[in-house]
Amino acid sequence: MKITFQTKAGNHIVDCAEGENVLFAGLRGGVAVPYECATGTCGTCRCRVMDGPVELQWNDAPGLTYVKREKNETLMCQAVPTGDCVVRVPGDIVKTENGPASQSGRMENFERLTHDVVRFSVVLERPMSFMAGQFAVLTLPGIEGGRAYSMTNHATSVDRLDFVVKRKTGGGFCNWLFDGSPEGAELQVFGPLGRATFDPAEGKNVLCIAGGSGIAGMMAILEHGTASGYFGTHRADVFFGVRTGDDVFFGDALNRYVEASPKQVNVTIALSDEAPGAELAKRFPSVKFAQGFVHEVAAAQMKDRYDNICGYVAGPPPMVDGALRMLVLEARLPGTDIRYDKFG
Ligand code: FES
């Protein structure tokens, strides 16, 4: 099947595989169409179907509240063509090289980190290159829709993607992950995706504010910055929020990153529901602990330290909103230096 993307910069025609959605076909074909979550929640991938049969994958996708269905608008990430079609996308959309791609993967190294957080790897059939901070969409046969998760590892080219997932109530994928037998399962991987990326060439100090599994992409940033020696000359201030001491995960890895660059990397874990006990400081001696909401702890510690900063934010929506407000109003960072992906 063919999809024609009508844009202000001209028409782009790409091949679409059976069952593939318009967004993935476009990105895979090098058309730089707009998107954020890639899973039906944000509404950014709005388009208008001008011609041809297109089926909606998820009728109740929250992102559909942003489209005018009476004008034949839909979400590219939820629209699956069943024949040749033409879609109109707002803006000057150009063709690029090296778009994301789809491939099979196998789940391995499944491990429970806390009562509601697991980590696992997906072993790829062919290597993938991605920037620290990017994500991939995982699709399991038999479970409707894809789930977007940031990679926690980073290297120039990897044949294994590492993920961390916090359980959400009522999620089919989460139920399978926590209650099923995920080890060895085959799944589809589409990526890399996302623009909340870390690029050492920008020469910025890094500020990360994360809640729960939002720490995932920031682990990749810390990995990249540490392995490349970036933190020999640039600062990283990392604030990681969880509820209680029992909810802390990746403590060992965060402790290691601080010890690798003790003058430049600072990590503070903020507990929202209790005061940190002495046991935590003993287990992770190079990490600082504080009580409070993570964005408030970050605001207090970062006062007057926003020089040459790029801010990364990920986590539950109220935390993300609070952190973004702080980066705009207090840190006065321009939009280009505030990075987050709207998924979840
Ligand atoms: Fe499609 Fe977010 S709704 S990219």
Side-chain angles (χ1 to χ4, degrees), residues 101-148:
S102 190
Q103 61 169 304
S104 306
R106 192 180 60 257
M107 207 175 257
E108 286 188 1
N109 306 327
F110 181 88
E111 185 188 349
R112 201 175 273 260
L113 298 179
T114 71
H115 72 105
D116 63 353
V117 175
V118 295
R119 79 160 151 216
F120 58 88
S121 303
V122 173
V123 178
L124 302 170
E125 59 180 356
R126 54 179 191 276
M128 182 189 285
S129 297
F130 62 91
M131 296 179 78
Q134 287 197 291
F135 68 93
V137 173
L138 308 183
T139 311
L140 268 172
I143 295 185
E144 211 181 334
R147 304 292 187 280

Side-chain angles (χ1 to χ4, degrees), residues 23 34-45 63 75-77 342:
L23 178 72
Y35 72 95
E36 281 185 84
C37 70
T39 50
T41 57
C42 72
T44 306
C45 65
L75 300 173
M76 286 186 272
C77 69
K342 278 194 208 167

Side-chain angles (χ1 to χ4, degrees), residues 295-317:
H295 57 284
E296 293 173 359
V297 170
Q301 289 196 23
M302 289 302 296
K303 219 166 180 30
D304 303 324
R305 296 179 62 234
Y306 294 114
D307 52 302
N308 191 31
I309 283 266
C310 186
Y312 297 84
V313 177

Side-chain angles (χ1 to χ4, degrees), residues 222 236-239 248 250-269 278-290 301:
L222 285 169
D237 290 285
V238 179
F239 297 89
V248 172
F250 287 160
D252 287 324
L254 291 167
N255 201 67
R256 262 198 318 276
Y257 289 129
V258 178
E259 287 177 354
S261 313
K263 292 209 177 90
Q264 302 282 18
V265 174
N266 302 295
V267 174
T268 302
I269 297 182
E279 170 64 12
L280 284 173
K282 215 187 280 172
R283 278 170 66 202
F284 313 117
S286 297
V287 171
K288 291 184 207 131
F289 290 89
Q301 289 196 23

Side-chain angles (χ1 to χ4, degrees), residues 62-324:
L64 287 169
T65 50
Y66 303 101
V67 311
K68 296 187 180 113
R69 296 214 208 189
E70 69 283 4
K71 293 197 169 163
N72 241 8
E73 287 184 0
T74 190
L75 300 173
M76 286 186 272
C77 69
Q78 299 303 315
V80 177
T82 52
D84 290 353
C85 67
V86 179
V87 297
R88 182 174 292 169
V89 187
D92 294 324
I93 311 292
V94 292
K95 268 229 174 196
T96 59
E97 288 188 2
N98 302 327
S102 190
Q103 61 169 304
S104 306
R106 192 180 60 257
M107 207 175 257
E108 286 188 1
N109 306 327
F110 181 88
E111 185 188 349
R112 201 175 273 260
L113 298 179
T114 71
H115 72 105
D116 63 353
V117 175
V118 295
R119 79 160 151 216
F120 58 88
S121 303
V122 173
V123 178
L124 302 170
E125 59 180 356
R126 54 179 191 276
M128 182 189 285
S129 297
F130 62 91
M131 296 179 78
Q134 287 197 291
F135 68 93
V137 173
L138 308 183
T139 311
L140 268 172
I143 295 185
E144 211 181 334
R147 304 292 187 280
Y149 298 116
S150 297
M151 283 70 91
T152 63
N153 60 327
H154 182 269
T156 316
S157 174
V158 296
D159 55 12
R160 190 201 78 230
L161 306 179
D162 294 339
F163 297 99
V164 63
V165 175
K166 187 169 163 60
R167 185 167 205 163
K168 284 194 185 118
T169 43
F173 188 88
C174 271
N175 289 345
W176 172 82
L177 202 55
F178 283 80
D179 303 331
S181 343
E183 189 74 23
E186 302 283 332
L187 70 175
Q188 278 302 113
V189 183
F190 187 82
L193 296 164
R195 300 184 183 96
T197 52
F198 165 64
D199 181 359
E202 292 181 271
K204 296 275 184 178
N205 294 317
V206 170
L207 168 60
C208 297
I209 306 173
S213 54
I215 192 73
M218 301 173 192
M219 297 303 285
I221 292 173
L222 285 169
E223 174 68 31
H224 189 16
T226 302
S228 63
Y230 188 76
F231 297 134
T233 49
H234 295 84
R235 232 174 54 220
D237 290 285
V238 179
F239 297 89
F240 176 28
V242 291
R243 288 207 168 105
T244 69
D246 287 343
D247 296 314
V248 172
F249 58 95
F250 287 160
D252 287 324
L254 291 167
N255 201 67
R256 262 198 318 276
Y257 289 129
V258 178
E259 287 177 354
S261 313
K263 292 209 177 90
Q264 302 282 18
V265 174
N266 302 295
V267 174
T268 302
I269 297 182
L271 308 185
S272 60
D273 292 7
E274 64 182 28
E279 170 64 12
L280 284 173
K282 215 187 280 172
R283 278 170 66 202
F284 313 117
S286 297
V287 171
K288 291 184 207 131
F289 290 89
Q291 183 176 8
F293 291 116
V294 65
H295 57 284
E296 293 173 359
V297 170
Q301 289 196 23
M302 289 302 296
K303 219 166 180 30
D304 303 324
R305 296 179 62 234
Y306 294 114
D307 52 302
N308 191 31
I309 283 266
C310 186
Y312 297 84
V313 177
M319 185 235 95
V320 169
D321 289 348
L324 293 179

